[in-house]
Amino acid sequence: MPDHDLAGWRARVDAALDRALPDPDTPPHRLHAAMRHATLLGGKRMRPLLVYASGTMFDAAPQALDTPAVAVELIHAYSLVHDDLPCMDDDALRRGQPTVHVAFDEATAVLAGDALQTLAFELLSDTPVPDAIRLALIRTLAGASGAAGMCGGQALDLEATGQKKRGQSESCKARIHSDPFPRVSVSALRRLHALKTGALIRAAVRMGALCAGAPDDALARLDLFSNALGLAFQVRDDILDIESDSATLGKTAGKDQAQAKATFPALLGMGASRELLSDLAMTMDDALAGFGEQAAMLAALGRLAIERDR
């Protein structure tokens, strides 16, 4: 995969995000600054890159891909803002910077996440594609973001976390869990992350292809790829939480074990988790095999997800 393609797409989506976000010099200043803090301070941009890679496979115009790429990143950014709150994961570091509720305050963080989510759909409603495709894009992102997707996965994650008490703030009351060592099966953990992590990744891949009018059989194969990619991304995250450090990750390392979270290394061990990554890599390769060289960028992003160090 040529590095300049990735760099070009990153620069393109970063510029589009900067244009889409509110001007921090206009009121409400604090909210607008928090939205930009949550979105523009780094990040892998994996989801926008997937939009560009899948759309390019089917010759979509870059201008048609910009809006869904921005929208999916805004949804991802909002989810991180809310995940970091004291009533959720209670984290102080994200992308090497203070989390939004630390840099600003908890109420502003909640509002910033809400505003990022609604901005994503406002932008998506103006995507320069035919009406039927625009509606499919909105439906795809909404389904991946709600109770049947990312939010549902986060709810399952909270239930599976063996931390006796969550959160200390008045606005987010302490959450009590009856079992400090939750009994979660591997199949339940896979389902959890198919929703929490995988749904938005699957939506990103699908949205790019939808912009190009890809046929149903191609969308089905891309879903197989995306399902494996989403799970692989999470397994790698779980491994990095153990093996890496906060400076490299840009977020607090070791939090999973400290909070008694259900993770793949905790349930399977490190060796079996690495084997699972290898199996998922083969699944991704098989799903893309029929596309030939057209899928080179998607395949490379899949490898990047598995080999990354942060």
Side-chain angles (χ1 to χ4, degrees), residues 269-292:
M270 290 292 279
S273 295
R274 294 186 189 282
E275 289 178 11
L276 176 56
L277 268 184
S278 296
D279 291 343
L280 292 167
M282 287 190 287
T283 300
M284 284 189 279
D285 288 344
D286 290 344
L288 296 180
F291 295 114

Side-chain angles (χ1 to χ4, degrees), residues 15-131:
L17 284 164
D18 185 60
R19 292 192 301 269
L21 288 162
D23 185 343
D25 292 329
T26 62
H29 301 93
R30 191 172 183 83
L31 173 62
H32 291 169
M35 292 169 69
R36 299 180 76 85
H37 180 95
T39 309
L40 297 179
L41 296 182
K44 292 177 282 295
R45 303 290 190 243
M46 173 64 75
R47 292 151 191 83
L49 292 176
L50 289 169
V51 173
Y52 287 117
S54 63
T56 301
M57 279 178 63
F58 301 98
D59 299 320
Q63 294 80 3
L65 299 173
D66 289 338
T67 305
V70 167
V72 75
E73 185 67 11
L74 291 176
I75 292 292
H76 177 55
Y78 121 72
S79 75
L80 298 181
V81 173
H82 283 190
D83 282 0
D84 290 335
L85 288 169
C87 59
M88 295 283 188
D89 287 348
D90 192 16
D91 217 328
L93 190 67
R94 174 69 67 178
R95 294 172 172 171
Q97 301 289 333
T99 49
V100 176
H101 71 273
V102 172
F104 296 86
D105 57 73
E106 193 171 338
T108 299
V110 172
L111 292 173
D114 292 345
L116 289 169
Q117 178 181 198
T118 54
L119 178 59
F121 289 103
E122 179 184 350
L123 296 171
L124 206 54
S125 68
D126 291 328
T127 308
V129 293
D131 289 348

Side-chain angles (χ1 to χ4, degrees), residues 131-144:
D131 289 348
I133 293 177
R134 190 180 305 114
L135 181 59
L137 293 173
I138 293 170
R139 182 182 293 114
T140 297
L141 188 57

Side-chain angles (χ1 to χ4, degrees), residues 145-205:
S145 305
M150 186 176 63
C151 286
Q154 177 70 358
L156 292 174
D157 193 24
L158 290 173
E159 293 173 6
T161 298
Q163 184 176 332
K164 288 187 176 181
K165 187 168 76 172
R166 292 187 152 279
Q168 301 296 328
S169 70
E170 285 299 316
S171 59
C172 290
K173 299 298 183 182
R175 178 180 181 274
I176 306 300
H177 197 296
S178 59
D179 185 355
F181 301 101
R183 298 169 181 83
V184 180
S185 67
V186 174
S187 61
L189 189 60
R190 290 178 73 121
R191 178 174 180 271
L192 184 166
H193 288 302
L195 300 179
K196 181 179 177 180
T197 304
L200 200 58
I201 286 175
R202 185 167 59 251
V205 174

Side-chain angles (χ1 to χ4, degrees), residues 44 46 225 228-237 239-240 243 273-285 298-310:
K44 292 177 282 295
M46 173 64 75
F225 165 80
L229 173 59
L231 187 57
F233 196 92
Q234 185 59 50
V235 174
R236 184 61 179 159
D237 253 9
I239 290 173
L240 288 173
E243 290 187 340
S273 295
R274 294 186 189 282
E275 289 178 11
L276 176 56
L277 268 184
S278 296
D279 291 343
L280 292 167
M282 287 190 287
T283 300
M284 284 189 279
D285 288 344
L298 270 185
L301 286 169
R303 290 193 298 273
L304 180 63
I306 287 176
E307 297 167 1
R308 63 196 170 93
D309 60 2
R310 62 183 180 92

